[in-house]
Amino acid sequence: MEGVEVVVAHSQRATLRVGDVFLKVDGDPAHADVEVRAMAMAPIPTPAILWREPPVLAIAAVPGKALGLLGEPSAASPAAWAAAGAAVRRLHDAPLPPWPGPRLADVAAELDGECAWLLANAVLPAEVIRRNRELAEAALRPWEPVFTHGDLQITHVFVDGDEVTGVIDWSEAAPGDAMFDLATLTLGHEERLDDLLAGYGAGADREVIRGWWSLRSLVASRWLIEHGFDPDAPGCEFDVLRSRMREP
């Protein structure tokens, strides 16, 4: 038997790798429901589903390697980033999934709540939190919903050379803001935004993307802390928030 690798594990879900098979165990079956449906609808490469026995979903590994890692420069070529941008554009141009997505009012309320927690617990200097809350305002505007991945982290996009071979982890897919996906993919790799947008094409709003960099980092930090992750690791959320302070 091949060794078992723990890819991620916390109180809500765990992902294990055994050879070329990933076993995803989730306490909420709705996440797997969304993942299976979204992958069937997505017009871009996704992992093959091998079997499903709730609460376990087995999927095949995709070829290639992740576009990059947080805290490390991406070794992927500009052409690979452009290919990722083109794949995201195909997703955003596809028909909407038939389930609800995030609402602007809920996003704004969550942001306010998370900023209050960060301030109360003094996990970052108050001026960093307040400045990023100001920058996040750019993302808080009505958007035309598109088919979004919803958690398009750099580790969820796989490439082989200059070709996208697969996009994984679709449990957050929903109608949403296109700029959120673009911001998530470039979080911590802001210098690759031009390469990504070269493939994505027209319609990207850089100010809104920058707003989502701040908003996503503010909202994610408490969850990461409470689930045993470190948002202060190099290149992660706290670094993103601190880097915004250097902007005019």
Side-chain angles (χ1 to χ4, degrees):
M1 177 178 174
E2 299 188 56
V4 177
E5 173 191 356
V6 179
V7 178
V8 63
H10 50 77
S11 60
Q12 293 177 336
R13 68 190 67 163
T15 300
L16 310 176
R17 180 170 186 168
V18 184
D20 289 333
V21 177
F22 286 89
L23 302 175
K24 306 185 71 172
V25 186
D26 199 308
D28 185 350
H31 291 147
D33 291 342
V34 168
E35 183 152 17
V36 170
R37 294 175 69 189
M39 287 194 294
M41 294 178 63
I44 58 177
T46 62
I49 298 172
L50 302 177
W51 51 266
R52 184 183 180 193
E53 291 290 342
V56 182
L57 174 66
I59 63 175
V62 297
K65 60 178 62 176
L67 195 59
L69 297 171
L70 277 178
E72 299 179 9
S74 171
S77 68
W81 276 89
V88 176
R89 187 53 178 260
R90 290 197 299 276
L91 177 66
H92 290 173
D93 287 343
L96 293 175
W99 55 86
R103 299 188 309 166
L104 176 57
D106 295 336
V107 173
E110 182 181 22
L111 174 62
D112 287 340
E114 294 304 313
C115 287
W117 185 91
L118 293 170
L119 287 166
N121 289 273
V123 297
L124 280 167
E127 61 269 23
V128 174
I129 299 168
R130 293 192 178 106
R131 174 57 177 154
N132 277 276
R133 174 62 184 83
E134 292 173 359
L135 294 170
E137 194 67 29
L140 297 177
R141 86 284 175 236
W143 58 74
E144 183 69 28
V146 301
F147 188 166
T148 60
H149 179 278
D151 191 23
L152 199 63
Q153 302 178 47
I154 193 171
T155 53
H156 292 167
V157 178
F158 281 70
V159 296
D160 186 2
D162 297 336
E163 178 183 355
V164 174
T165 54
V167 178
I168 66 172
D169 285 3
W170 290 82
S171 62
E172 304 298 324
D177 182 8
M179 299 305 103
F180 176 72
D181 271 353
L182 298 175
T184 303
L185 187 52
T186 51
L187 189 77
H189 291 81
E190 293 87 350
E191 75 283 354
R192 306 308 293 266
L193 181 60
D194 286 346
D195 295 331
L196 183 73
L197 296 185
Y200 186 80
D205 188 321
R206 292 171 183 267
E207 182 180 0
V208 174
I209 291 170
R210 288 193 291 269
W212 275 117
W213 285 337
S214 290
L215 197 158
R216 189 186 186 283
S217 297
L218 288 167
V219 167
S221 293
R222 173 164 55 156
W223 187 96
L224 292 168
I225 292 167
E226 292 180 344
H227 288 81
F229 300 99
D230 183 9
D232 203 18
C236 293
E237 282 76 7
F238 284 6
D239 272 359
V240 171
L241 294 171
R242 286 189 287 258
S243 72
R244 304 270 77 78
M245 300 296 288
R246 298 190 290 270
E247 296 182 359

